[in-house]
Amino acid sequence: MDSYLTSGKLHHTGGEHTHDEEGNKMFGFIVFLVSESVIFLSFFAGYIVYKITTPNWLPVGVSGLEIKEPAINTVILVSSSFVIYLAERALQRHDLMKFRLFLLATMAMGSYFLVGQAIEWNSLAFGFTSGVFGGMFYLLTGFHGLHVFTGILLQLIILVRSFIPGNYDTGHFGVNATSLFWHFVDVIWIVLFVLLYVWQ
């Protein structure tokens, strides 16, 4: 049975089947993101139920959360989705210089968000053990922050791989998957921002 390789895809000409390796990898990655979504949705549901049913929801002495700085961090993080999209487009045009610049910008924006979150945590008047609200707040923001950190590491990996000659000539699965992960992280944060900071 004859076969040939085109753009990272192996096609069999014998009429039996067509094997799309990169497509299969992306499908597997999407399944992984769906599983992550289920975890976050469970946390969201728990937060909503606890907020509605728990008397004295906020810790003693706390009237609410400051929204200004988190709002700025939100704008920075969400905007980074557009920047990593530009990085993808640059790679499709084989413009490695712009790809690296946009990727570095995305990593910088994600790092800014993490630093802003660390500063916020340090300034809060309650801790992880300060009632149900305290536990849920740190669990949700901390778990999301872990995903942001993971996204930055993935971007660092694909940035380093861009310096390997010809590495992205036959396929961009790593870049596409990383970009999709980053968009996922941004969407999750929008939901978290509404739940934690807008709905007070």
Side-chain angles (χ1 to χ4, degrees):
M1 181 174 59
D2 296 329
S3 63
Y4 60 94
L5 185 65
T6 305
S7 299
K9 301 178 180 180
L10 181 62
H11 301 274
H12 295 275
T13 58
E16 295 182 6
H17 68 279
T18 300
H19 179 63
D20 183 352
E21 183 177 353
E22 190 159 317
N24 290 339
K25 288 180 180 178
M26 183 56 70
F27 175 76
F29 190 75
I30 290 174
V31 171
F32 162 73
L33 290 183
V34 169
S35 68
E36 289 292 290
S37 299
V38 171
I39 296 174
F40 274 107
L41 287 174
S42 300
F43 287 162
F44 296 160
Y47 179 87
I48 293 171
V49 170
Y50 281 130
K51 180 177 174 61
I52 294 175
T53 60
T54 303
N56 304 318
W57 171 242
L58 294 175
V60 177
V62 177
S63 58
L65 296 172
E66 173 63 40
I67 195 173
K68 180 180 178 181
E69 293 301 324
I72 294 174
N73 287 341
T74 299
V75 172
I76 296 294
L77 186 64
V78 173
S79 298
S80 69
S81 266
F82 178 67
V83 179
I84 200 171
Y85 166 75
L86 293 178
E88 279 189 285
R89 292 294 300 273
L91 184 60
Q92 290 170 3
R93 298 191 303 269
H94 305 288
D95 190 341
L96 287 178
M97 183 59 68
K98 285 187 178 179
F99 168 72
R100 292 164 184 156
L101 288 175
F102 285 130
L103 202 57
L104 283 171
T106 306
M107 294 168 63
M109 296 168 83
S111 298
Y112 180 94
F113 175 85
L114 287 180
V115 171
Q117 190 171 74
I119 293 174
E120 179 190 18
W121 278 15
N122 190 56
S123 65
L124 291 174
F126 60 90
F128 186 80
T129 58
S130 299
V132 179
F133 173 78
M136 291 298 295
F137 175 85
Y138 283 100
L139 174 64
L140 289 170
T141 57
F143 191 55
H144 176 266
L146 178 62
H147 281 71
V148 175
F149 181 72
T150 300
I152 294 173
L153 288 181
L154 290 174
Q155 292 170 44
L156 178 60
I157 292 172
I158 63 175
L159 175 65
V160 171
R161 286 173 61 86
S162 73
F163 290 95
I164 301 174
N167 185 66
Y168 290 130
D169 288 350
T170 58
H172 303 156
F173 166 74
V175 175
N176 295 335
T178 298
S179 179
L180 184 60
F181 181 82
W182 196 250
H183 297 320
F184 166 79
V185 167
D186 287 355
V187 170
I188 291 296
W189 178 253
I190 291 174
V191 178
L192 277 178
F193 181 77
V194 172
L195 287 179
L196 297 174
Y197 298 96
V198 178
W199 184 33
Q200 295 194 55

